[in-house]
Amino acid sequence: MENYSYPTRDEWLEYSMTFPVMRRFGFSFVKEFTLLLEGEKSSKEVHQIQNLYHWDSVLSTKVWNLRQSYVNTLVNFKRGIAKKDQDFKNELKVINLRQFDFYFETTLYYLISTRDVILQIVNLAFIEKCFHESKVKLDSGFIAKIGNLEVKNMIIFSTKNLKEINDLRNSMAHKFPKTTNDFRSEISEDGRRYSSYRRKAIDYDKRIEKLETGLEHLYQLYSGIESELRKQFPLETD
C-alpha cells in the first residue's frame, strides 16, 4: 500500500464535476428561547424549525461525505483495477481494486444515509403529527401521513428507483455481499442435491452504472423536496 497515491488535483476536478449539486437545504439558525419568550411562534413551531435546522446540518455532512467517497470510487476505477487473474500480479491494480471496493461500499452507505436524512426532514416539514426519529422509515404508514401530495409521490417514486441501491447496501451489511464474486455451493433442504455450478462474477462496469444511476435518483429526490420546502419555508441560499 506504500505505492498508493491520493487523487491528483486534475483527477479530483474531473470526477467531482460529475457529482450533482447538492448541499444543505438552507434552514436558518433560530434563537428558540427568544421566539418562545416573545410569543412569535408556538412551542410546536419552534420545535419544528429548530429541528429542521439541525437535521439540515446533518444533511450537509452526509452530502460532503458522499461526494468524497464517490469521487474516490471513480478515481480508483478509472486508474485501472485488477479484474483478471494476470492483473493480480500488478501491485497498483490490486491497490486500486482494494481502494475501489472500500470507497464503493462507503458510497453506498452515504447514498442511502443521505436519503434517510431527507426522510427525517420530510417527517418534520410535511407530516402534521411527525413521527419520532426512530420510527421514520419507508413503509406505508409513514408515506400515508405525508400531507403534501407532491412530496408523497416523490417518496413513492424514489423508493422504487433506489430499491436496487438500497438492496446492494443492505447485502453488504446483513447478507452475503452482492458486490462479491459468488461461487458458493448450494444444497437442497433435504440434503440430497448438492450443486457447485452457481457462479456469479462481478461486473465492475455495471457496478459503476448502478452507482451513477442511484446518485441521479437521489438528486431527483433532493431537488424535488427542496422545491417543495421553498414553498413553505424561508430557506437561505448559499
Side-chain angles (χ1 to χ4, degrees):
M1 291 294 291
E2 62 271 11
N3 291 324
Y4 174 74
S5 62
Y6 287 97
T8 64
R9 181 177 182 276
D10 288 342
E11 285 176 323
W12 188 264
L13 289 174
E14 178 181 357
Y15 298 117
S16 63
M17 293 295 291
T18 67
F19 189 84
V21 179
M22 290 189 287
R23 53 177 69 89
R24 69 189 186 95
F25 287 125
F27 289 97
S28 302
F29 174 77
V30 295
K31 296 181 179 179
E32 54 200 286
F33 291 110
T34 300
L35 293 176
L36 289 170
L37 290 172
E38 294 180 357
E40 292 184 33
K41 293 185 180 296
S42 67
S43 57
K44 183 179 179 180
E45 290 173 322
V46 173
H47 169 78
Q48 180 192 45
I49 58 178
Q50 195 261 10
N51 275 259
L52 282 169
Y53 168 79
H54 287 291
W55 273 113
D56 204 21
S57 296
V58 174
L59 177 64
S60 177
T61 300
K62 296 290 186 181
V63 169
W64 192 90
N65 289 338
L66 174 59
R67 181 173 177 265
Q68 299 293 108
S69 57
Y70 173 75
V71 171
N72 275 284
T73 300
L74 290 188
V75 167
N76 285 285
F77 179 73
K78 298 296 184 180
R79 283 179 174 180
I81 60 176
K83 298 180 182 179
K84 300 177 181 179
D85 289 344
Q86 60 266 29
D87 292 338
F88 286 87
K89 298 177 183 179
N90 184 314
E91 183 186 13
L92 286 179
K93 285 189 176 182
V94 173
I95 291 173
N96 293 341
L97 174 62
R98 300 296 176 238
Q99 292 292 316
F100 169 80
D101 282 338
F102 173 79
Y103 284 112
F104 182 85
E105 182 170 352
T106 306
T107 305
L108 288 181
Y109 165 77
Y110 280 116
L111 198 158
I112 295 303
S113 186
T114 301
R115 188 275 314 270
D116 290 346
V117 172
I118 292 174
L119 292 181
Q120 294 286 352
I121 291 172
V122 166
N123 177 51
L124 287 162
F126 299 111
I127 294 181
E128 181 65 25
K129 189 176 180 181
C130 63
F131 292 84
H132 185 272
E133 63 184 73
S134 64
K135 302 294 184 182
V136 175
K137 55 184 177 179
L138 280 175
D139 58 18
S140 57
F142 175 76
I143 294 173
K145 292 289 186 180
I146 299 174
N148 183 307
L149 183 58
E150 289 295 324
V151 172
K152 181 181 293 188
N153 289 335
M154 289 175 203
I155 297 299
I156 294 172
F157 191 63
S158 70
T159 302
K160 297 175 182 177
N161 284 340
L162 289 172
K163 184 179 185 306
E164 187 171 28
I165 286 292
N166 196 60
D167 289 346
L168 272 176
R169 183 262 171 191
N170 287 342
S171 79
M172 302 180 90
H174 310 297
K175 303 175 182 177
F176 193 89
K178 292 184 178 181
T179 55
T180 301
N181 286 324
D182 191 353
F183 301 151
R184 294 173 295 163
S185 63
E186 291 184 335
I187 193 169
S188 62
E189 290 185 6
D190 59 14
R192 294 181 179 180
R193 293 191 304 275
Y194 176 90
S195 172
S196 60
Y197 300 116
R198 181 183 181 185
R199 296 179 64 85
K200 293 184 179 179
I202 300 171
D203 187 327
Y204 289 99
D205 291 319
K206 284 190 176 180
R207 279 174 64 175
I208 291 294
E209 289 176 14
K210 290 176 181 179
L211 194 60
E212 291 175 337
T213 300
L215 192 59
E216 289 174 10
H217 291 317
L218 176 67
Y219 177 68
Q220 289 173 3
L221 174 64
Y222 166 88
S223 58
I225 297 299
E226 181 186 36
S227 177
E228 291 302 311
L229 286 171
R230 288 195 178 281
K231 296 176 184 178
Q232 191 168 321
F233 299 93
L235 302 182
E236 297 176 345
T237 301
D238 289 338

